[in-house]
């Protein structure tokens, strides 16, 4: 919850958002979660930029993720593409991701 505003503040600048989110998150989390915070903020910053697309958001998130999180994003996207709405995908998401 505390990371989304970092992405909003850095609208259109995902690299800056990722760095700022990692810095801010270190106050309350550690380990891989710090990297995930940067990934989340970068995706939000890109999503709010002019001309953003879903594919661009996904690629931006992956570009700012470590290999383990990148793999998780790939698994989640693979599941999501098979469903028309988030509620239908929930069971499969929980199973694979």
């Amino acid at each position: 919850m505390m990371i989304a505003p970092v992405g909003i503040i850095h609208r259109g600048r995902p690299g800056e958002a990722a760095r700022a989110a990692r810095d801010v998150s270190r106050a309350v989390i550690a380990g891989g979660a710090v990297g995930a915070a940067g990934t989340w903020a970068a995706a939000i910053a890109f999503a709010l930029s002019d001309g953003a697309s879903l594919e661009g958001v996904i690629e931006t998130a992956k570009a700012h993720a470590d290999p383990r999180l990148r793999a998780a994003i790939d698994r989640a996207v693979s599941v999501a593409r098979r469903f028309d709405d988030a509620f239908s995908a929930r069971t499969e998401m929980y199973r694979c991701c």
Side-chain angles (χ1 to χ4, degrees):
M1 291 177 149
M2 68 183 241
I3 296 305
V6 177
I8 294 167
I9 290 166
H10 294 281
R11 176 183 180 258
R13 301 182 316 273
E16 291 178 29
R19 282 187 294 281
R22 288 190 299 267
D23 289 344
V24 168
S25 70
R26 283 187 184 99
V28 294
I29 59 177
V34 171
T39 301
W40 179 237
I44 291 168
F46 182 86
L48 296 175
S49 64
D50 294 335
S53 66
L54 175 59
E55 292 303 318
V57 172
I58 293 166
E59 291 307 312
T60 298
K62 289 169 59 175
H64 293 277
D66 64 27
R68 184 175 171 194
L69 184 53
R70 233 183 338 269
I73 292 168
D74 285 337
R75 287 191 309 273
V77 168
S78 175
V79 169
R81 290 186 194 276
R82 296 193 317 246
F83 294 89
D84 292 330
D85 69 90
F87 294 109
S88 298
R90 280 189 306 188
T91 300
E92 185 67 17
M93 284 286 188
Y94 284 123
R95 189 186 66 70
C96 89
C97 308

